[in-house]
Amino acid sequence: MSSTINGGISFWYADHGTPAPREPLPGDESADVCIVGGGYTGLWTAYYLKKAAPFLRITVLEQKFCGYGASGRNGGWLYNGIAGRDRYARLHGKEAAVRLQEAMNDTVDEVIRAAAEESIEADIHHGGVLEVAYTPAQLARLKEFHATELAYGEKDRTLHGARETADRIRVAGAVGSTWTPHGARLHPVKLVKGLAAAVEALGVTIHESTPVTEIKPKHAITPYGTVRAPYILRCTEGFTASLKGQRRTWLPMNSSMIATEPLSPSQWESIGWEGRETLGDMAHAYMYAQRTADGRIALGGRGVPYRYGSKTDSNGRTQPATIEALHEILTRFFPQLAGVEIAHAWSGVLGVPRDWCATVTLDRATGLGWAGGYVGSGVATANLAARTLRDLVQQDSGQADTTDLTTLPWVNHKVRKWEPEPFRWIGVQGMYATYRSADRHELTTPTAQAPRLARIADRLSGRH
């Protein structure tokens, strides 16, 4: 794999190019709404607020360039998963969690609709999501997962055996799968670039190369000046820990990806995948993949899960051991691709709250708001969060009443902080080492029972 491009932010930028830089903040400014973070959450929030209230003066501050973080590095999974749904069911009742799930189902269609309306060509293919099992324990989890999704109202989900799974995608050793129509493949960078252009066309001001060092009520402080606004909305996801006072708010979890060289027609014929579903599995340290518009496989999973002190990388460079581990997943799924070159490898961070619950909040006393903690499901969830922030701001400013979105159970959910170091680092490293050990055990031990260590890790981590 000596020819593999390692880092350079992501394959998506290598494929589509980095954007022309926008001007940094020239000095102190004022706005009606200041949004910190130029990823999906911040840009969608600016988009929906400006569409709803064109008179608003909205400023977006981005430390590097729009899409530098997870929005430009993710796996291109636009799907209906949301972090924390089961916990919200326990806290607020099943009906509230069902409403949240229905909102997520609708969000997949909303992103596709908005992209079409704004003429954003992001290689979107609405093929759904296929999640496969290839061990007895995974199959047991798959069936349980499928039944749970049906119980949350997803009546259009289907369960498949080995033969039907192979008819869709020929994953080696797959014994079953579950498919939902509420998912699509997309090109992350084409979406974020198009969204940033649409936001600017509406009259929103975007300042790049402008790191915000501290957020206070009505103030976003940068080295170049301060933006003063009644509403300051934090949309920084995996980079939240870099803000003053936020080191333990959300943990920046690493996720890594590889992209193959384009496959030949005969290789695709051996794999299938004509429906271009996004592809996942039921491993504890799960993988995610897509068939790209130019005929590659882009595949991701956890590498080194966390850097001590909540540090983040600079340009997406990935450890060779992680690239090899992802290549092993690729060839476990598709042994016929053992000789295929890995064209690109990269990493990025996603935001993980201590209870693994995505949240949207507006503090009406201070005007401070935030959204995130998507735990890897942010491509769609960011859009729902943005529309919810829009409604919360409009409600608080007297421009609108309570809406269906502002009453969803993730609104104003409070989460305790992560433990201080070194306990944070020890805990995360131990958790993922346990999950990887459990996955190895399941591959070699034909039992439907998940290893006890994996269940303990779930409880200690707060995931369940």
Side-chain angles (χ1 to χ4, degrees):
M1 298 180 202
S2 58
S3 61
T4 301
I5 299 172
N6 190 347
I9 306 174
S10 74
F11 160 73
W12 309 115
Y13 279 110
D15 177 52
H16 202 248
T18 53
R22 295 175 174 89
E23 291 296 318
L25 182 70
D28 292 346
E29 287 189 0
S30 63
D32 298 312
V33 180
C34 177
I35 296 169
V36 181
Y40 291 148
T41 305
L43 293 173
W44 279 124
T45 301
Y47 175 81
Y48 287 112
L49 268 171
K50 193 68 172 176
K51 294 274 279 190
F55 57 85
L56 286 177
R57 296 173 302 142
I58 301 173
T59 296
V60 176
L61 301 177
E62 164 55 42
Q63 68 162 335
K64 298 285 189 178
F65 56 81
C66 290
Y68 172 80
S71 300
R73 309 190 196 196
N74 65 80
W77 269 48
L78 176 71
Y79 86 119
N80 67 338
I82 184 166
R85 184 192 62 189
D86 292 345
R87 189 180 297 272
Y88 287 130
R90 294 194 294 272
L91 291 172
H92 300 278
K94 182 71 173 292
E95 182 180 341
V98 168
R99 287 201 303 117
L100 181 59
Q101 183 59 66
E102 289 173 344
M104 279 303 308
N105 296 348
D106 294 342
T107 295
V108 174
D109 296 327
E110 169 60 18
V111 172
I112 295 171
R113 183 205 65 78
E117 181 178 295
E118 298 298 334
S119 300
I120 299 172
E121 176 47 62
D123 296 341
I124 296 173
H125 184 85
H126 198 172
V129 182
L130 187 75
E131 291 170 278
V132 302
Y134 48 86
T135 70
Q138 283 193 23
L139 184 60
R141 285 197 297 278
L142 179 100
K143 290 178 178 178
E144 181 181 356
F145 169 72
H146 178 82
T148 299
E149 298 310 296
L150 295 182
Y152 278 103
E154 202 177 333
K155 303 305 182 189
D156 41 7
R157 177 176 286 273
T158 55
L159 184 66
H160 305 292
R163 182 178 298 176
E164 292 172 306
T165 300
D167 287 342
R168 286 182 175 271
I169 307 175
R170 287 183 279 282
V171 174
V175 291
S177 64
T178 179
W179 177 83
T180 176
H182 301 294
R185 173 213 74 191
L186 56 77
H187 189 298
V189 162
K190 290 182 179 181
L191 177 61
V192 77
K193 281 186 175 182
L195 183 55
V199 163
E200 281 189 309
L202 290 172
V204 172
T205 299
I206 300 175
H207 292 301
E208 295 181 328
S209 301
T210 305
V212 174
T213 55
E214 184 179 3
I215 293 173
K216 300 193 296 186
K218 299 180 173 55
H219 296 75
I221 301 169
T222 86
Y224 305 110
T226 296
V227 177
R228 292 169 173 82
Y231 298 100
I232 309 289
L233 306 181
R234 189 188 80 220
C235 304
T236 47
E237 188 58 356
F239 292 86
T240 300
S242 64
L243 293 166
K244 184 177 179 180
Q246 303 294 333
R247 179 63 59 87
R248 293 165 54 196
T249 299
W250 290 333
L251 184 141
M253 185 81 75
N254 285 294
S255 199
S256 301
M257 293 198 70
I258 56 174
T260 69
E261 63 183 358
L263 304 187
S264 68
S266 62
Q267 286 170 323
W268 279 120
E269 186 177 353
S270 71
I271 292 170
W273 212 340
E274 294 174 2
R276 290 166 174 75
E277 305 90 337
T278 56
L279 174 65
D281 70 0
M282 300 305 293
H284 299 287
Y286 50 83
M287 59 75 71
Y288 50 95
Q290 67 150 283
R291 176 176 176 171
T292 68
D294 64 347
R296 306 170 190 263
I297 294 177
L299 181 149
R302 298 290 181 264
V304 177
Y306 172 69
R307 291 180 173 87
Y308 190 89
S310 292
K311 291 182 174 63
T312 57
D313 69 89
S314 58
N315 76 339
R317 188 167 180 83
T318 301
Q319 290 191 349
T322 298
I323 300 173
E324 183 59 38
L326 293 174
H327 183 255
E328 287 176 4
I329 294 173
L330 174 71
T331 55
R332 182 195 312 146
F333 274 54
F334 308 113
Q336 65 271 43
L337 301 184
V340 168
E341 287 291 323
I342 303 303
H344 208 120
W346 70 100
S347 296
V349 292
L350 48 99
V352 180
R354 186 60 183 86
D355 65 356
W356 299 67
C357 289
T359 57
V360 182
T361 297
L362 180 66
D363 184 340
R364 303 186 71 171
T366 63
L368 297 178
W370 56 89
Y374 305 132
V375 196
S377 299
V379 179
T381 314
N383 178 277
L384 178 61
R387 287 182 285 127
T388 306
L389 277 175
R390 171 202 61 192
D391 289 0
L392 288 169
V393 169
Q394 288 205 286
Q395 177 184 324
D396 182 71
S397 60
Q399 298 173 34
D401 295 325
T402 300
T403 68
D404 290 342
L405 298 186
T406 61
T407 61
L408 290 173
W410 69 331
V411 173
N412 296 328
H413 174 72
K414 291 180 172 58
V415 184
R416 69 182 175 94
K417 292 183 179 295
W418 282 89
E419 291 78 4
E421 298 291 21
F423 305 107
R424 188 159 72 245
W425 185 87
I426 292 170
V428 176
Q429 298 294 330
M431 176 182 67
Y432 272 96
T434 300
Y435 285 142
R436 285 191 289 266
S437 176
D439 287 331
R440 287 193 297 269
H441 177 81
E442 290 180 0
L443 282 170
T444 57
T445 307
T447 174
Q449 183 67 42
R452 182 169 174 268
L453 274 177
R455 298 193 298 273
I456 293 173
D458 281 343
R459 289 196 296 271
L460 291 178
S461 69
R463 292 178 74 175
H464 297 290

